Amino acid sequence: FVLLIFSTFIVSTPYPSTRGMFTSWSDLRRRQGKHGTPRYSHIQQLLSEYSDRTTSVQHRQQILANLANFAYDPINYDFFLRLSVPDIFIEAVASSDNVLIGFSLGGIANLCSDRGFCRYFIQRDLVSVLERCLSSGRTRLIHSALTVLLQIAATTSEVLTSAKLRESCIALIDHTDHRIANMANIYMIDSDSSKTTS
């Protein structure tokens, strides 16, 4: 449910989508064809363009959107680790570009369907990132941050919590965007339940 909400957000952006991801190595080889571009090389090329200082802001946004969508497919996990793509998402979240922040949160949400990535991001102070986004006043960033919170809870059966996260989510229960209000309410129910059972 959570990933479905988020994938709709990604696909609805004005940038090219990389949906229709591969689910096995045989699918990958079949779709690439005999002379297709290997996935690792393609991701590496995207990262090279992203880090190039001459790359325009819009193109960097497009690249990050594509990487966020690539994060939806577990077949890319090893490539992402080898190329440090999760660190790119973390760095982008700290930027002043709200578009980059939104796409990086998307990549994080998709990767957090895996327990290992959940731990990876939590160790990199993800809570502070989410606190900042939830209090940003920007609907899309708030929605994305809530998606990450709920995805981590669904994957790990653990609820990330802090006084500031709870304070923000309590306020968001009355948000005019019903998706945000519902997600904030779900988070508070999970958070309260976690406190009761701990």
Side-chain angles (χ1 to χ4, degrees), residues 26-81:
S26 59
D27 287 339
L28 178 59
R29 288 193 297 269
R30 177 173 55 80
R31 295 201 187 191
Q32 284 181 173
K34 185 176 180 180
H35 303 291
T37 301
R39 182 65 64 87
Y40 178 88
S41 298
H42 179 60
I43 295 173
Q44 189 175 42
Q45 177 61 35
L46 288 176
L47 292 175
S48 177
E49 293 178 18
Y50 182 83
S51 61
D52 189 332
R53 292 187 177 183
T54 64
T55 300
S56 69
V57 171
Q58 185 175 11
H59 189 49
R60 283 167 60 84
Q61 294 170 347
Q62 176 181 327
I63 290 170
L64 204 61
N66 287 333
L67 289 172
N69 274 338
F70 276 129
Y72 185 77
D73 192 344
I75 202 170
N76 294 315
Y77 287 177
D78 181 59
F79 302 147
F80 271 39
L81 286 173

Side-chain angles (χ1 to χ4, degrees), residues 74 128 165:
S128 294
L165 282 178

Side-chain angles (χ1 to χ4, degrees), residues 1 7-8 12 14 20 25 31 33 44 63 68 73 89 92 103 107 109 111-112 118 133 142-143 165 169 183:
F1 170 71
S7 62
T8 300
S12 66
W25 287 107
R31 295 201 187 191
Q44 189 175 42
I63 290 170
D73 192 344
F89 290 147
F103 287 141
L111 289 177
C112 280
C118 287
C133 291
I142 294 170
H143 179 265
L165 282 178
C169 285
M183 294 171 78

Side-chain angles (χ1 to χ4, degrees), residues 1-2 5 142-143 146-147 150 169-190:
F1 170 71
V2 174
I5 291 175
I142 294 170
H143 179 265
L146 287 169
T147 300
L150 296 183
C169 285
I170 288 172
L172 291 171
I173 289 175
D174 295 323
H175 200 281
T176 54
D177 186 307
H178 295 304
R179 296 177 308 165
I180 288 177
N182 289 338
M183 294 171 78
N185 189 50
I186 291 171
Y187 170 79
M188 289 306 303
I189 292 172
D190 289 347

